[in-house]
Amino acid sequence: MAMACRALLILAAVLLLCAAECRLVHAWKRSYVVYLGAHPYGREATAEDHARATESHHELLASVVGSKQAAKDAIFYSYNKNINGFAAYLEEEVATQMAKHPDVLTVMPSKMMKLHTTRSWGFMDMERDGQVLPDSIWNHGKFGQNVIIANLDSGIWPESNSFSDEGMAPVPKRWKGGCTDTAKYGVPCNKKLIGAKYFNKDMLLSHPAAVEHNWTRDTEGHGTHTLSTAAGRFVPRANLFGYANGTAKGGAPRARVAVYKVCWNGECATADVIAGFEAAVHDGADVISVSFGVDAPLADASSFFHEAVTLGSLHATIHGVAVVCSGGNSGPFEDTVVNSAPWVTTVAASTVDRDFPDQVTLGNNAKMRGISLEASDLHSNKLFPVINASSAALPNCTVHHATNCATGCLDPAKVKGKIVVCVRGGDIPRVMKGMTVLNAGGVGMILANGEMDGNDIEADPHVLPATMITYDEAVSLYNYMSSTSEPAANISPSKTELGVKNSPSIAAFSARGPSGTLPYVLKPDVAAPGVDILAAFTEYVSPTEVAADKRRSEYAIMSGTSMACPHVSGVTALLKAARPDWSPAMMRSAIMTTARTQDNTGKPMREMDGKEATPFAYGSGNVHPNRAVDPGLVYDITPNGYFTFLCSLGFSTKDLSRLSSGKFTCPAKPPPMEDLNYPSIVVPALRRRMTIRRRLKNVGRPGTYRASWRAPFGVNMTVDPTVLIFEKAGEEKEFKLKVASEKEKLGRGYVFGKIVWSDGTHYVRSPVVVNALD
């Protein structure tokens, strides 16, 4: 009996413990955004309007959690200006109940987004002899000073000369923002940098270790780099350790800038990002630049309102603010592009006509080309012993880790005085591999591509004489090393080389379409310089971001679609200055239809491996700023046009009523998704034949435009009508594009063509992409 009693007591204790643990799990909290749609008021709402909205948020949450005080304690952002909703720290059960509330459009759990720089320290620029922005109508007088670019990113280094306000006029009176950073080393405003705010309440709840300081100052360089690329002032003699020397300037050098720090230690939390969007729109920004995004495309369009950039950018667009986003760095694989909503301009990364080559000379007098940003000389007449890192492993390290030159894995006795061959990859930053070699006593490093890396190489500011070589060169190097018992080599100092042929090409890392989230819209939209871009940088860390590297530079060279995005943000700002009445869609259309698809030799743009690139890599082409100001015709989309598209995607009239504050109702029969009036045309699932409709608006002189086209392979394509006559500016005309599959030529997957409207002066180009199924 006693034993039975003890057993029952033990069982009861276990059950109590399990119950307690279940309650703990049940009570586990995380950040959620409760999204309600739009407010009934606009930008001119009063503080009382905002206060009433916040009060309604407290009441709504209180209806679920039981008290208004509990609701106030849980809510850490009340979106009460141009986005209707709130962010709160909730239990999952409460979030589930909120999602069922009739006034709630969606409830999204907080997620982390990533900055779109390559982050293994291979970098980019926006300067030199007008690579992107030639001296032209853009560069006179005070042009562009009334335009404001907001950068949602990791902050700013305000002391940079790129943000000097010398000679600038007073801040526009319409601006509502300011510099609210009160930290000891906070960011002050001037007439160039007119706003600086930070948002980290979600990050502090979700990942507190990422927040080093409560300030707007940039401690990692990304935000300073992207903002100066978009709108940095003219700065002579800008360079990184002597490389890429020239006059730096952003895309819109006279535009005002404002920074909204929503990213911390490379990550950006959902609720902070939405707060940044709302603040930028309310403060009066004209263009919002976003160089970050989710790791992978959304599953489908039904999850649109579970993603912060998609949601925030929609409300910005509704309020007339253009949003430009990076497309992501998950290339060269298809269906990797992110930030693919049709109301944003999505940017791919291309190369510029500049390189940083060096030369490796082997003991058999063979020579191979590499690239680097390290100028140290290994004494050009001397050859140094070469060792494969795999042969220099310390006993406590695997061969795999040694091959990748992992920290502390190389034997100094075997490495000292030698050039070490390390393999690229292994989740070890490239510059850190060089640091490992240096610490072990090596005199130099050759970073060799693996087969998957191919010929895609990037220049890095290494801490010792070093170079990166292609896979083909790496094979030749290994063959040489195995042919002799005493392999030797030398690495020459690298140099800045201009006028590189077959530029631009598309960066291997740049994410590709088609968009699995939204296959009816071609993404990316355009390409822009995103490889080895020189721009301003923080002086808080080294350009390599390696703690042991004590070097500092006012400018750095970085790579990624993060760097491509602000080029287009700058061009968009220039268009806003030149054409203030244009909608965001009109500006995007002008940029897309005037882009070019040829390199500087007149040949089609190519991938890094030499293959011809497609619109899935570059969208409509590489941006051409001077053409964009006078495109002739544009494809415009109003907010109601986007609402109609959402109806076509399956969102209900009730959903759209919340999005439009009751001002929009879905049509009884929404048009096909392919009929969104987008500058590019995609038919992702052609079954025999289809007719696509588009409208063109004249933004130039009266004229007669004639259509020419090249049909995708295996597709019959016609245009009706083939002539459009415009008698005045602002006039709109519709045309139909008819496509039909050729049964005997099916099975090719996506195929590519184009349509061009021209009056003899303007050429309005649109890619046509078709996937014929039957």
Side-chain angles (χ1 to χ4, degrees):
M1 179 67 71
M3 291 182 64
C5 288
R6 283 197 296 270
L8 287 172
L9 287 171
I10 291 171
L11 177 61
V14 170
L15 289 173
L16 286 171
L17 179 62
C18 287
E21 288 182 350
C22 288
R23 284 195 298 272
L24 285 173
V25 171
H26 182 70
W28 184 76
K29 293 182 178 182
R30 67 181 297 183
S31 299
Y32 290 89
V33 171
V34 179
Y35 176 55
L36 307 174
H39 292 289
Y41 46 75
R43 282 187 177 182
E44 302 308 316
T46 64
E48 289 75 18
D49 292 324
H50 299 157
R52 280 192 292 270
T54 296
E55 181 67 14
S56 71
H57 296 160
H58 294 158
E59 292 173 353
L60 177 60
L61 183 57
S63 69
V64 175
V65 298
S67 76
K68 187 174 288 187
Q69 187 57 52
K72 289 181 177 180
D73 292 341
I75 292 175
F76 57 90
Y77 287 126
S78 174
Y79 306 119
N80 58 16
K81 298 178 177 63
N82 46 76
I83 298 172
N84 191 1
F86 57 88
Y89 200 52
L90 304 173
E91 299 171 13
E92 184 178 0
E93 182 181 357
V94 174
T96 300
Q97 292 181 52
M98 286 301 308
K100 297 176 182 178
H101 195 284
D103 292 338
V104 173
L105 206 157
T106 191
V107 174
M108 69 181 90
S110 179
K111 297 179 181 178
M112 292 296 162
M113 288 156 276
K114 302 287 187 181
L115 298 175
H116 283 159
T117 181
T118 54
R119 279 295 175 197
S120 41
W121 304 297
F123 299 39
M124 332 187 181
D125 107 338
M126 170 76 235
E127 50 86 80
R128 181 176 81 71
D129 75 355
Q131 172 66 40
V132 178
L133 187 61
D135 289 332
S136 64
I137 59 170
W138 304 120
N139 294 339
H140 69 79
K142 297 179 179 179
F143 184 83
Q145 289 197 35
N146 288 327
V147 178
I148 301 163
I149 299 177
N151 198 38
L152 270 62
D153 210 297
S154 63
I156 187 169
W157 191 258
E159 289 80 12
S160 171
N161 289 323
S162 290
F163 307 117
S164 166
D165 67 350
E166 182 179 353
M168 295 196 74
V171 176
K173 292 182 179 180
R174 65 182 174 89
W175 178 244
K176 298 179 181 179
C179 291
T180 59
D181 193 342
T182 59
K184 182 178 180 181
Y185 297 104
V187 172
C189 279
N190 60 27
K191 289 182 288 186
K192 171 69 173 179
L193 172 60
I194 62 174
K197 298 178 179 179
Y198 68 85
F199 302 88
N200 62 9
K201 292 179 180 179
D202 191 357
M203 187 65 75
L204 286 170
L205 290 167
S206 305
H207 188 191
V211 180
E212 186 178 355
H213 301 285
N214 287 314
W215 61 10
T216 319
R217 186 168 290 275
D218 185 5
T219 59
E220 51 193 298
H222 188 274
T224 303
H225 197 282
T226 55
L227 188 55
S228 65
T229 300
R233 300 294 301 273
F234 292 79
V235 180
R237 297 178 298 281
N239 63 82
L240 171 63
F241 305 146
Y243 290 105
N245 187 54
T247 298
K249 63 175 181 285
R254 295 180 180 86
R256 318 284 179 156
V257 298
V259 62
Y260 298 81
K261 184 172 182 176
V262 299
C263 300
W264 305 81
N265 196 27
E267 294 187 319
C268 326
T270 295
D272 297 335
V273 170
I274 294 176
F277 266 108
E278 180 175 68
V281 173
H282 176 72
D283 289 347
D286 299 298
V287 180
I288 298 177
S289 190
V290 179
S291 286
F292 59 84
V294 292
D295 282 338
L298 300 175
D300 53 58
S302 66
S303 54
F304 256 7
F305 299 130
H306 286 82
E307 199 278 303
V309 174
T310 299
L311 188 61
S313 61
L314 174 60
H315 283 271
T317 302
I318 291 170
H319 285 82
V321 180
V323 181
V324 183
C325 297
S326 51
N329 295 345
S330 298
F333 307 107
E334 291 190 350
D335 188 16
T336 52
V337 66
V338 298
N339 294 329
S340 57
W343 43 82
V344 306
T345 303
T346 310
V347 188
S350 60
T351 64
V352 296
D353 65 341
R354 181 187 58 212
D355 214 343
F356 305 99
D358 57 19
Q359 184 172 272
V360 177
T361 302
L362 302 181
N364 61 1
N365 289 321
K367 299 183 185 337
M368 51 185 63
R369 178 186 170 100
I371 60 171
S372 179
L373 291 167
E374 215 312 299
S376 298
D377 194 345
L378 273 179
H379 309 292
S380 57
N381 295 325
K382 180 180 178 181
L383 294 178
F384 292 83
V386 178
I387 186 171
N388 197 321
S390 62
S391 302
L394 283 169
N396 62 326
C397 286
T398 65
V399 172
H400 171 77
H401 284 103
T403 300
N404 284 284
C405 293
T407 302
C409 274
L410 299 182
D411 187 343
K414 296 179 180 179
V415 167
K416 186 176 181 181
K418 298 178 182 178
I419 295 174
V420 181
V421 180
C422 302
V423 173
R424 180 181 185 178
D427 293 325
I428 301 169
R430 299 188 295 268
V431 172
M432 281 302 299
K433 295 173 187 279
M435 186 69 75
T436 298
V437 173
L438 181 66
N439 290 339
V443 297
M445 177 182 70
I446 298 175
L447 193 55
N449 269 4
E451 186 173 6
M452 288 293 292
D453 301 312
N455 295 326
D456 177 34
I457 53 178
E458 298 185 50
D460 299 316
H462 290 287
V463 294
L464 80 172
T467 188
M468 177 182 280
I469 58 174
T470 67
Y471 174 67
D472 291 341
E473 298 280 30
V475 170
S476 298
L477 174 62
Y478 294 137
N479 289 338
Y480 160 70
M481 292 175 68
S482 63
S483 71
T484 177
S485 60
E486 295 183 349
N490 188 285
I491 305 170
S492 73
S494 54
K495 60 183 180 180
T496 301
E497 180 179 82
L498 304 178
V500 176
K501 298 300 182 184
N502 300 116
S503 301
S505 61
I506 301 300
F509 60 75
S510 187
R512 266 62 168 181
S515 168
T517 305
L518 198 62
Y520 310 95
V521 178
L522 178 63
K523 292 288 179 172
D525 291 307
V526 290
V531 177
D532 293 338
I533 303 302
L534 181 76
F537 198 71
T538 180
E539 293 184 54
Y540 190 85
V541 295
S542 162
T544 64
E545 299 181 58
V546 175
D549 185 359
K550 302 304 180 184
R551 297 175 297 175
R552 296 293 184 269
S553 175
E554 189 178 349
Y555 289 82
I557 292 176
M558 302 181 74
S559 295
T561 55
S562 274
M563 285 69 235
C565 166
H567 284 81
V568 178
S569 301
V571 174
T572 303
L574 292 174
L575 288 177
K576 182 67 176 179
R579 306 286 186 256
D581 296 330
W582 281 11
S583 69
M586 293 169 71
M587 291 186 281
R588 179 179 59 239
S589 175
I591 291 170
M592 291 174 65
T593 61
T594 59
R596 55 189 174 194
T597 59
Q598 295 178 323
D599 65 21
N600 57 4
T601 69
K603 297 179 180 178
M605 277 201 300
R606 298 193 172 273
E607 305 274 5
M608 292 290 282
D609 62 4
K611 296 179 181 177
E612 186 172 331
T614 74
F616 284 156
Y618 56 66
S620 293
N622 211 56
V623 64
H624 195 294
N626 285 344
R627 290 179 180 172
V629 73
D630 183 23
L633 307 175
V634 295
Y635 296 86
D636 194 12
I637 308 176
T638 64
N640 280 358
Y642 293 120
F643 293 156
T644 301
F645 179 73
L646 289 172
C647 296
S648 300
L649 280 175
F651 289 89
S652 68
T653 289
K654 187 177 179 181
D655 295 332
L656 271 299
S657 178
R658 294 192 188 106
L659 277 172
S660 63
S661 300
K663 300 172 185 175
F664 180 85
T665 301
C666 285
K669 186 179 180 181
M673 288 170 279
E674 291 86 350
D675 282 358
L676 177 69
N677 200 42
Y678 215 71
S680 52
I681 297 170
V682 182
V683 183
L686 177 62
R687 298 189 179 278
R688 297 190 180 180
R689 60 181 56 85
M690 186 175 188
T691 299
I692 302 100
R693 292 169 173 80
R694 288 291 188 273
R695 295 184 320 279
L696 281 163
K697 177 184 287 188
N698 182 30
V699 292
R701 296 182 297 274
T704 299
Y705 285 78
R706 292 177 169 79
S708 61
W709 61 90
R710 187 188 74 228
F713 177 85
V715 175
N716 288 319
M717 190 167 90
T718 59
V719 178
D720 181 32
T722 58
V723 177
L724 297 175
I725 300 173
F726 295 91
E727 297 179 351
K728 59 182 179 180
E731 186 178 4
E732 293 189 69
K733 298 281 186 177
E734 182 179 289
F735 70 91
K736 299 175 183 177
L737 187 144
K738 300 178 181 180
V739 291
S741 60
E742 298 178 10
K743 188 174 182 180
E744 66 278 7
K745 297 179 181 178
L746 297 175
R748 290 293 190 100
Y750 281 97
V751 286
F752 307 94
K754 65 179 179 180
I755 178 173
V756 182
W757 290 93
S758 179
D759 63 352
T761 301
H762 305 93
Y763 294 86
V764 187
R765 300 178 176 88
S766 294
V768 178
V769 182
V770 178
N771 181 22
L773 300 181
D774 59 31

